[in-house]
Amino acid sequence: MHATAVAHPNIALVKYWGKADESRNLPAVGSISITLDTLVTTTSVRFDPALGEDRFTLDGRPAPDQLERVRACLDLFRARLPGVPHAEVASVNSFPTAAGLASSASGFAALVVAVDRALEAGLDRAELAELARQCSGSAARSIFGGFVELRLRPDGSGCDTGQIRAAADWPLQVVVAITSAEAKAIGSTAGMLHTERTSPYYPAWLATSKTDLAAARQAVEDRDFAALAAVSEHSCLKMHAVAFAARPGLLYWNGATVECIRRLRELASAGVGVFFTVDAGPQVKAICLPEAGDRVADALAELPGVAKVLRCGLGEGARVVGV
Ligand code: 2P0
């Protein structure tokens, strides 16, 4: 009753922000993302009737603040398979946790895949994505590799998540500019709920989501980089705008975030194949055509306030690596 799985973070190009139903962790909008390759979460799980409780370590240390969410994830399996004993879960990230690199996405994707194998539950990828989504909305997308879409079911019963194009089909590169390694002040979940409750722009955010999803889906199908750039930057800035307009406003950026965006816009104006996106933290992700990656990485690395740049390609979905 043990297994180890890996999963990669993903970066949303059309953003998830807001919940239709908090109790079911049902997103208010669909989203489209790319799964990365070089950043990895590795999660091992061992079920043992001799354990008196569920245990969780992150990067080798007990993580009591995360234990509740891990237990809730295990309980989703217990609801399907009565009699599942307590578990010991150990998760290791190859990148800074809680710094805007979607560690909850890769973390819960790896966890559900490891638990499924350890319990021999035999769930398919769509079912695994639905379980991961209930733990963390973005985690559903890390079940799959390449370009991924999370769609809301029209009847409100849940989501359908799946790949829309394989990584090898359109091998974009991603340069992540780390502008701060500190954990963010307000997490995504709290930030979304605060935005829903207080931002006057929230209805407009919801009303324009389907158009963005359709445009991004089409751009991915056509491998149209300029079209994907336009809709992705729009979705990103719109997500931050709806959060800025909350009361009090949410500001996830720092000065270097803005400097990175400006520099990437200059490069794009000069004909370099690059666009930006920013999530609920100050890091900037530059999505590049393959030939542009080196130049973009060099340009971001020399900006004041950029502590480090990470390079990634597009990667595969969550998978078992050991039993
Ligand atoms: C995204 N984010 O689409 C957006 C953009 C952050 C900014 O999905 O509450 O940590 O656990 O479902 O999965 C982060 O959301 O939120 C996220 P919960 P999660 O990538």
Side-chain angles (χ1 to χ4, degrees):
M1 290 183 93
H2 51 86
T4 300
V6 295
H8 305 287
N10 69 77
I11 293 175
L13 303 181
V14 177
K15 304 292 188 190
Y16 153 42
W17 198 252
K19 295 179 195 279
D21 182 345
E22 191 185 344
S23 66
R24 291 185 291 145
N25 200 39
L26 188 63
V29 291
S31 50
I32 289 179
S33 62
I34 45 178
T35 300
L36 304 180
D37 61 359
T38 52
L39 313 177
V40 189
T41 299
T42 304
T43 299
S44 297
V45 59
R46 183 176 68 85
F47 289 93
D48 184 347
L51 291 168
E53 58 187 5
D54 291 324
R55 296 181 192 166
F56 178 58
T57 61
L58 182 59
D59 295 331
R61 289 179 292 278
D65 52 327
Q66 299 292 320
L67 179 61
E68 202 53 48
R69 287 182 82 182
V70 169
R71 186 181 295 131
C73 183
L74 297 169
D75 286 346
L76 293 174
F77 284 87
R78 292 186 176 117
R80 287 170 165 253
L81 304 167
V84 169
H86 288 118
E88 190 164 53
V89 178
S91 196
V92 177
N93 287 331
S94 73
F95 55 95
T97 298
L101 287 168
S103 57
S104 70
S106 51
F108 284 107
L111 180 59
V112 297
V113 169
V115 171
D116 176 70
R117 174 57 69 91
L119 296 176
E120 295 178 9
L123 302 182
D124 65 23
R125 291 206 155 248
E127 292 172 303
L128 291 171
E130 266 301 82
L131 290 181
R133 192 268 301 160
Q134 292 169 68
C135 305
S136 190
S138 55
R141 303 186 311 236
S142 281
I143 295 291
F144 299 92
F147 296 80
V148 178
E149 179 167 5
L150 179 150
R151 294 176 190 241
L152 306 179
R153 288 187 198 136
D155 65 2
S157 65
C159 301
D160 292 305
T161 306
Q163 186 181 74
I164 52 176
R165 189 176 266 289
D169 261 9
W170 199 17
L172 301 181
Q173 292 195 13
V174 179
V175 179
V176 181
I178 305 283
T179 63
S180 165
E182 287 169 27
K184 56 198 166 196
I186 177 159
S188 301
T189 308
M192 285 181 207
L193 297 175
H194 178 64
T195 301
E196 284 166 38
R197 288 182 191 128
T198 66
S199 176
Y201 296 169
Y202 189 65
W205 164 256
L206 297 181
T208 53
S209 150
K210 281 191 180 147
T211 314
D212 294 347
L213 290 164
R217 195 184 306 127
Q218 190 65 48
V220 170
E221 271 169 27
D222 297 344
R223 284 182 279 204
D224 182 339
F225 191 78
L228 188 61
V231 68
S232 300
E233 290 191 355
H234 176 62
S235 176
C236 166
L237 293 175
K238 197 163 49 176
M239 182 200 103
H240 287 279
V242 70
F244 287 160
R247 298 186 74 162
L250 298 174
L251 178 54
Y252 286 107
W253 300 1
N254 60 29
T257 311
V258 179
E259 292 308 320
C260 289
I261 291 173
R262 286 185 179 280
R263 187 76 185 98
L264 293 170
R265 285 196 151 172
E266 281 170 11
L267 289 169
S269 298
V272 177
V274 65
F275 65 85
F276 66 85
T277 193
V278 184
D279 292 299
Q283 327 308 359
V284 176
K285 289 96 177 203
I287 320 301
C288 311
L289 285 171
E291 62 274 18
D294 290 345
R295 188 161 167 201
V296 168
D298 290 348
L300 291 177
E302 69 187 21
L303 288 179
V306 173
K308 197 175 173 185
V309 296
L310 307 175
R311 302 282 303 266
C312 311
L314 304 195
E316 301 305 317
R319 58 208 180 269
V320 173
V321 294
V323 285

